[in-house]
Amino acid sequence: MTKKNQSLLAYVKVQDAVDFAILMLKGQGVNKDDSVKVAECLVEADLRGVQTHGMSRLPIYVKRLSEGLINATPKMILDKPVAACASLDGDNGLGFLVGIRAIQEAIKMAETCGVGVVAAQNSNHFGMAATYLLQAVQAGYFAFVFTNAAKSMPPWGGREGLFGTSPFAAGAPGGKLPPFILDMSPAVAARGKIRLAEKRGEAIPEGYALDENGKPTTDPTAALRGVVLPIGGYKGSGLSMLMEILAGVFTGANFGGDVPDQYTVWDRPQNVGHFFMVLKPGVFVTEKGFRDRMDILVSRVKENPRAGGFDEIFMPGEIEARLEIERRQSGIPYAQSDILLLTELAREYNIAEMPYNVH
Amino acid sequence: MTKKNQSLLAYVKVQDAVDFAILMLKGQGVNKDDSVKVAECLVEADLRGVQTHGMSRLPIYVKRLSEGLINATPKMILDKPVAACASLDGDNGLGFLVGIRAIQEAIKMAETCGVGVVAAQNSNHFGMAATYLLQAVQAGYFAFVFTNAAKSMPPWGGREGLFGTSPFAAGAPGGKLPPFILDMSPAVAARGKIRLAEKRGEAIPEGYALDENGKPTTDPTAALRGVVLPIGGYKGSGLSMLMEILAGVFTGANFGGDVPDQYTVWDRPQNVGHFFMVLKPGVFVTEKGFRDRMDILVSRVKENPRAGGFDEIFMPGEIEARLEIERRQSGIPYAQSDILLLTELAREYNIAEMPYNVH
């Protein structure tokens, strides 16, 4: 499953990565329970191969916590004016904590109402959207998870960033076969992927982005100064607008390009917005009926005759789940540049370095 | 706005098109109110330039009604076990009638619960998804509208049709500026568009579809025997799977390739499933607050500096809304082949032909 990649050099044991993140977060005044939650989210992203949203983000969260731009001890407020919908004020806490609280509240409402919606504001970057999908799916629920983000993609026909490359994320439980865990950017490539290429000194394929003059580029640095492009032209642009409406306009958070980039803006919090919707399948068909029907669908997906160049057809999220099993055994492979970043972080904050093996 | 197109020859007054459709439907035993509703949906699609889902579909609905494969006098049953969710059994009625009833029920639930979900089964092809979005949006609500359909698109990595090219449809009201009406197929091109090309004897662009052997083709007839391709590879495939889960697996309808093609299968009803979710923006921010914020978003979309080749940036659905205004004045332009089809239909069922002007 894992591609041989010369930049992957160091293996870190899962518990060592979790413990390191916990120490770093506690050092910034995040309480123990919350530190564990966030650390597990970060490591889960790395386990699933979504390394743009894993430990490589820890330094920025720590920096923003230490600058007081993220609140280490948020007092979140849930406002629930009706039985099936709530607004959650994240009190500028870590996005992970806001996301976990929000999906839990949405699940509670879905349990009694069949559906639950939580609109969250005053939050921050919440990492990998699949984290929240998995919490709902493992409890037997369908979920939508949307967020907005700093501007990096233009509306179709434009050339300046307005929308984030926020994930479109939806999940449904399976029966005996793999569940449906779709977590995709409406961009041809996520900004985090371009940032990773820059960090690794690699070129990006053409079609990923325009430079600041609106011209195609393969230089990640030029691309990061320009805009990324949506899938399917106006279609991907429409999806990103949809997420800006639900996660931004609806929630009361910053929107329309006003969410500041967490890497470059140091004078104010992000006020990111998130949107969570959870459905209880048992309300429509029985829960067993739903799981049995999912298994029929999944088996038909996997048994579809292959197109040229494909050995196997995967459910969305299935490759990531297999990678997680593999990496829980092997440890998590990190690029040397990520290890350096985390070692520097440890030294800066006077915390024991994260142990790793090179092999 | 309208492109000069040599195959567009005949102009039909809006009321003449509506009246013709009403007569045809009443001739099949559909009551007057229902006939008016369906006729208006069909004509609305033509007015908005979505002519793959307008009057050109009337012959197939009439044929299936006359063969008893669609129930002209459905007794729909709404099952509402919780306050915010319901299942709707469409009793094999026209998809338009099921869709209209479902979105109305979802709006009612959203009015009291903030959110309303209706899962519909035992339905048929419901035409243009934007029809139902517009009903919610005009009443001040956000809506998702999904349906499943006959198989025509493979899962990513496969080569045999499994999913429909069902629309991903989402809508949100605006303030003074245009609303957000996104109604898009996850396919690079909708199957209806390929069928229209075939009817008109035109080639299709490469990248739209594979033939039955899994090879790229520009021949619409070969494409209709093969499969259409999703936008963004696995991403568009994931969106179509999502709609199959919500509209098919969830609802109790046919799913996983079991919805029969309405053009080729004449021994059973379709049992199509639809999924409707409606949100009340006023629950999260005030209704005025929401509309004001939408106007800020829309103005930023429209004021984004243009990419090369673009004179104006449009909101999803804005071109269609402008076309509707224009066509309500000019009449609806139909291809000669569509006029012939409708004239034949009138003769076959002994009903007065639809008047038109060639100019």
Side-chain angles (χ1 to χ4, degrees):
Chain A
M1 300 286 301
T2 40
K3 286 187 201 147
K4 291 283 169 204
N5 187 324
Q6 293 186 326
S7 60
L8 295 179
L9 287 169
Y11 281 75
V12 176
K13 284 184 197 157
V14 174
Q15 196 57 50
D16 287 344
V18 170
D19 289 344
F20 178 73
I22 291 172
L23 269 183
M24 287 303 316
L25 292 163
K26 281 171 69 182
Q28 293 306 318
V30 178
N31 72 42
K32 194 184 162 197
D33 279 1
D34 285 352
S35 295
V36 171
K37 285 179 190 166
V38 177
E40 286 177 347
C41 288
L42 289 173
V43 171
E44 189 173 39
D46 287 337
L47 283 167
R48 292 173 67 85
V50 187
Q51 288 181 272
T52 49
H53 288 69
M55 292 291 281
S56 68
R57 299 275 190 161
L58 184 60
I60 191 67
Y61 303 134
V62 168
K63 183 100 195 277
R64 290 186 78 85
L65 282 163
S66 78
E67 299 277 333
L69 292 168
I70 298 178
N71 181 359
T73 56
K75 306 266 175 289
M76 296 186 223
I77 296 167
L78 188 80
D79 177 25
K80 199 154 105 46
V82 288
C85 295
S87 290
L88 180 64
D89 184 330
D91 195 23
N92 193 31
L94 284 154
F96 302 89
L97 301 174
V98 180
I100 290 169
R101 172 75 188 276
I103 196 81
Q104 285 171 346
E105 297 290 347
I107 290 171
K108 265 191 241 169
M109 292 189 286
E111 184 51 37
T112 53
C113 302
V115 58
V117 175
V118 175
Q121 59 168 312
N122 285 331
S123 186
N124 288 282
H125 190 263
F126 76 178
M128 176 180 71
T131 296
Y132 315 103
L133 293 183
L134 287 166
Q135 289 171 35
V137 164
Q138 281 156 5
Y141 296 85
F142 175 96
F144 275 127
V145 173
F146 304 142
T147 185
N148 67 357
K151 59 187 178 184
S152 60
M153 193 159 72
W156 185 242
R159 65 181 153 84
E160 277 188 9
L162 177 61
F163 304 124
T165 53
S166 318
F168 181 96
K176 298 184 181 72
L177 297 175
F180 171 82
I181 304 289
L182 181 68
D183 178 2
M184 64 177 215
S185 159
V188 176
R191 205 170 152 79
K193 201 170 274 184
I194 298 175
R195 195 175 289 117
L196 199 66
E198 186 192 41
K199 214 165 55 180
R200 291 179 173 167
E202 295 167 1
I204 55 168
E206 208 161 322
Y208 273 31
L210 303 177
D211 67 17
E212 59 192 323
N213 303 313
K215 293 203 175 129
T217 182
T218 59
D219 173 3
T221 308
L224 289 171
R225 280 197 302 263
V227 291
V228 292
L229 294 171
I231 57 166
Y234 75 91
K235 295 184 178 185
S237 171
L239 283 180
S240 60
M241 205 181 299
L242 166 67
M243 290 182 284
E244 185 68 329
I245 291 169
L246 287 177
V249 178
F250 248 89
T251 58
N254 273 339
F255 72 100
D258 287 344
V259 171
D261 185 319
Q262 62 179 344
Y263 288 90
T264 58
V265 178
W266 294 96
D267 63 354
R268 59 189 188 278
Q270 285 197 290
N271 189 10
V272 171
H274 319 302
F275 177 91
F276 304 81
M277 190 196 81
V278 169
L279 284 172
K280 185 180 180 181
V283 168
F284 303 99
V285 285
T286 63
E287 188 183 333
K288 181 175 181 310
F290 178 77
R291 290 188 186 273
D292 290 347
R293 288 162 69 86
M294 275 301 288
D295 273 353
I296 293 171
L297 181 66
V298 176
S299 67
R300 290 184 186 174
V301 166
K302 297 194 70 73
E303 287 160 15
N304 197 278
R306 310 288 179 277
F310 287 86
D311 293 328
E312 184 173 359
I313 298 174
F314 296 100
M315 284 294 289
E318 189 178 2
I319 291 178
E320 291 82 356
R322 288 197 197 174
L323 210 52
E324 176 166 349
I325 293 169
E326 188 184 305
R327 291 184 169 184
R328 283 198 182 276
Q329 297 292 323
S330 68
I332 305 168
Y334 286 102
Q336 206 169 24
S337 53
D338 285 336
I339 294 289
L340 275 173
L341 219 67
L342 295 171
T343 302
E344 274 169 29
L345 186 71
R347 288 177 188 164
E348 188 180 347
Y349 290 89
N350 205 20
I351 280 179
E353 291 170 26
M354 182 172 73
Y356 62 89
N357 290 306
V358 177
H359 59 87
Chain B
M1 299 287 302
T2 40
K3 287 188 199 145
K4 292 284 168 202
N5 186 324
Q6 294 186 327
S7 61
L8 295 180
L9 286 168
Y11 280 75
V12 176
K13 284 183 198 156
V14 174
Q15 197 56 50
D16 287 343
V18 170
D19 289 344
F20 178 73
I22 291 172
L23 269 184
M24 287 303 316
L25 292 163
K26 282 172 67 183
Q28 293 305 319
V30 179
N31 72 41
K32 193 182 163 201
D33 279 1
D34 285 351
S35 296
V36 171
K37 285 178 191 167
V38 176
E40 286 177 347
C41 288
L42 290 172
V43 171
E44 189 173 39
D46 287 337
L47 283 167
R48 291 173 67 85
V50 187
Q51 287 182 271
T52 49
H53 287 69
M55 293 289 282
S56 67
R57 298 275 190 161
L58 184 60
I60 191 67
Y61 302 134
V62 168
K63 183 101 195 275
R64 290 186 78 85
L65 282 163
S66 78
E67 299 277 333
L69 292 168
I70 297 178
N71 180 0
T73 56
K75 307 265 174 290
M76 295 186 224
I77 296 168
L78 188 81
D79 177 25
K80 199 154 105 46
V82 287
C85 295
S87 290
L88 180 64
D89 183 331
D91 195 22
N92 193 29
L94 284 154
F96 302 89
L97 302 174
V98 180
I100 291 170
R101 173 76 188 276
I103 197 82
Q104 285 170 347
E105 297 290 346
I107 290 172
K108 264 190 241 169
M109 291 188 286
E111 184 51 37
T112 53
C113 302
V115 58
V117 175
V118 176
Q121 59 169 309
N122 285 330
S123 186
N124 289 281
H125 191 262
F126 76 1
M128 176 179 71
T131 296
Y132 315 103
L133 293 183
L134 287 166
Q135 289 171 34
V137 164
Q138 282 156 6
Y141 296 85
F142 175 95
F144 275 127
V145 173
F146 304 141
T147 185
N148 67 356
K151 59 187 178 184
S152 59
M153 194 159 71
W156 184 243
R159 65 179 153 85
E160 277 190 8
L162 177 61
F163 304 124
T165 53
S166 318
F168 182 96
K176 297 184 180 73
L177 297 174
F180 171 81
I181 304 290
L182 180 68
D183 178 2
M184 65 177 215
S185 159
V188 176
R191 206 170 152 78
K193 201 170 271 184
I194 298 175
R195 196 175 289 116
L196 199 65
E198 185 192 41
K199 213 164 58 178
R200 291 178 173 169
E202 295 166 1
I204 55 168
E206 209 161 320
Y208 274 29
L210 304 177
D211 67 18
E212 59 192 324
N213 302 314
K215 295 203 173 126
T217 182
T218 59
D219 173 2
T221 307
L224 289 170
R225 280 198 301 262
V227 291
V228 293
L229 294 172
I231 56 166
Y234 75 91
K235 295 184 178 185
S237 172
L239 284 180
S240 61
M241 206 181 299
L242 166 67
M243 290 183 284
E244 186 68 329
I245 291 170
L246 287 178
V249 177
F250 249 90
T251 59
N254 273 339
F255 72 100
D258 288 344
V259 171
D261 186 316
Q262 61 180 345
Y263 287 90
T264 57
V265 177
W266 295 95
D267 63 353
R268 60 189 186 278
Q270 285 196 290
N271 189 11
V272 171
H274 319 303
F275 177 90
F276 303 81
M277 191 198 79
V278 170
L279 284 173
K280 186 180 181 182
V283 167
F284 304 98
V285 286
T286 63
E287 188 182 333
K288 181 173 183 312
F290 178 78
R291 289 187 186 272
D292 290 348
R293 286 162 70 87
M294 276 300 289
D295 273 354
I296 292 170
L297 180 66
V298 176
S299 67
R300 290 182 186 175
V301 166
K302 297 194 69 74
E303 287 160 15
N304 196 279
R306 310 288 177 277
F310 287 86
D311 293 328
E312 184 172 357
I313 298 175
F314 296 100
M315 284 293 290
E318 189 178 2
I319 291 179
E320 291 81 356
R322 287 198 197 172
L323 210 52
E324 177 166 351
I325 292 170
E326 187 183 306
R327 290 184 170 183
R328 283 198 182 277
Q329 297 291 324
S330 68
I332 305 167
Y334 286 101
Q336 206 169 22
S337 52
D338 284 336
I339 294 289
L340 275 172
L341 220 67
L342 295 171
T343 302
E344 273 169 30
L345 185 73
R347 287 178 189 162
E348 188 181 345
Y349 289 90
N350 205 21
I351 279 178
E353 292 169 25
M354 183 172 72
Y356 61 89
N357 289 307
V358 177
H359 59 89

